[in-house]
């Protein structure tokens, strides 16, 4: 005996947040950042067998200004970290990051001075995807989970402040390099 039963057919009840979430989740354009062997699995995900076009993601953007999802696939070297951050900063808001593979998530087997021990030291990460390398099915599952996160994201005046606070908190956990060394 709710409002839905009293409306004539053809009416849809929803909120602006739900409509905007649905539109955002179905128009995610990835900026691929393939760094190592995980990039092969990322490319396979876009092929005909797995078909990212089902999720509206068939357009992999080479321009960060037209992308809102960064998929970091593989190990990130210290030399490449500033480039990754620059590309992330050039992406339009709202933006999301998937760390694909154990090397992107935690440095993997490369526990040395040359490899960043997790992409989250450089950019905030929304989804961590384990595996060496993760299968395309696992990447699709991570994308579906990200779509759910995007669909249910709140927005408004306080969202931007909350995103900035979370990014600063994530970047403060461990320094990427010692800023005082060599001075």
């Amino acid at each position: 005996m709710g409002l839905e039963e009293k409306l004539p057919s053809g009416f849809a009840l929803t909120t602006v947040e739900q409509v905007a979430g649905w539109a955002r989740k179905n128009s995610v354009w990835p900026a691929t950042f393939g760094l190592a062997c995980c990039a092969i699995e990322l490319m396979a995900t876009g092929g005909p067998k797995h078909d990212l076009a089902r999720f509206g993601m068939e357009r992999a953007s080479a321009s960060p200004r037209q992308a809102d999802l960064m998929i970091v696939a593989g190990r990130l070297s210290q030399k490449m970290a500033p480039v990754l951050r620059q590309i992330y900063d050039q992406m339009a808001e709202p933006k999301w990051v998937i760390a694909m593979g154990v090397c992107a998530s935690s440095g993997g087997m490369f526990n040395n001075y040359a490899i960043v021990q997790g992409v989250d030291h450089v950019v905030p990460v929304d989804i961590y995807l384990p595996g060496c390398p993760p299968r395309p099915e696992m990447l699709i599952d991570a994308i579906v989970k990200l779509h759910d996160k995007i669909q249910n994201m709140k927005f408004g005046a306080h969202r931007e402040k909350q995103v900035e606070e979370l990014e600063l908190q994530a970047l403060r956990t461990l320094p990427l390099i010692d800023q005082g060394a060599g001075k």
Side-chain angles (χ1 to χ4, degrees):
M1 209 37 145
L3 180 63
E4 300 89 8
E5 295 173 3
K6 297 185 187 239
L7 291 173
S9 65
F11 278 88
L13 296 177
T14 188
T15 64
V16 174
E17 278 185 346
Q18 288 176 338
V19 170
W22 176 84
R24 275 196 279 173
K25 110 177 168 159
N26 287 317
S27 63
V28 174
W29 285 356
T32 57
F33 206 81
L35 297 168
C37 43
C38 290
I40 302 300
E41 298 296 324
L42 174 61
M43 288 181 250
T45 308
K49 182 176 180 183
H50 301 288
D51 193 21
L52 277 179
R54 295 179 290 168
F55 306 105
M57 297 177 63
E58 65 271 9
R59 184 189 176 279
S61 181
S63 168
R65 289 174 179 84
Q66 297 173 352
D68 45 13
L69 168 64
M70 177 183 281
I71 302 173
V72 182
R75 60 188 178 271
L76 178 66
S77 67
Q78 293 284 354
K79 279 186 164 184
M80 191 58 89
V83 176
L84 177 80
R85 182 64 198 202
Q86 180 182 13
I87 290 173
Y88 176 81
D89 289 339
Q90 290 174 353
M91 291 171 59
E93 289 287 344
K95 51 190 167 189
W96 300 277
V97 176
I98 294 178
M100 181 178 177
V102 71
C103 293
S105 298
S106 65
M109 66 197 89
F110 303 102
N111 189 10
N112 61 35
Y113 65 93
I115 303 298
V116 176
Q117 299 300 305
V119 177
D120 54 354
H121 293 291
V122 182
V123 295
V125 175
D126 295 293
I127 303 282
Y128 294 92
L129 181 57
C132 184
R135 298 278 307 136
E137 294 87 358
M138 294 172 69
L139 178 57
I140 289 174
D141 182 58
I143 289 169
V144 168
K145 288 178 180 165
L146 183 66
H147 280 180
D148 186 48
K149 182 177 181 177
I150 294 169
Q151 172 80 42
N152 297 317
M153 181 182 288
K154 303 288 183 195
F155 65 92
H158 302 292
R159 188 177 94 67
E160 187 174 310
K161 182 180 177 185
Q162 179 187 14
V163 167
E164 287 176 7
E165 288 173 359
L166 289 172
E167 182 175 338
L168 287 174
Q169 179 184 359
L171 290 174
R172 275 192 221 128
T173 55
L174 288 175
L176 179 61
I177 56 173
D178 185 13
Q179 299 294 334
K183 288 186 179 181

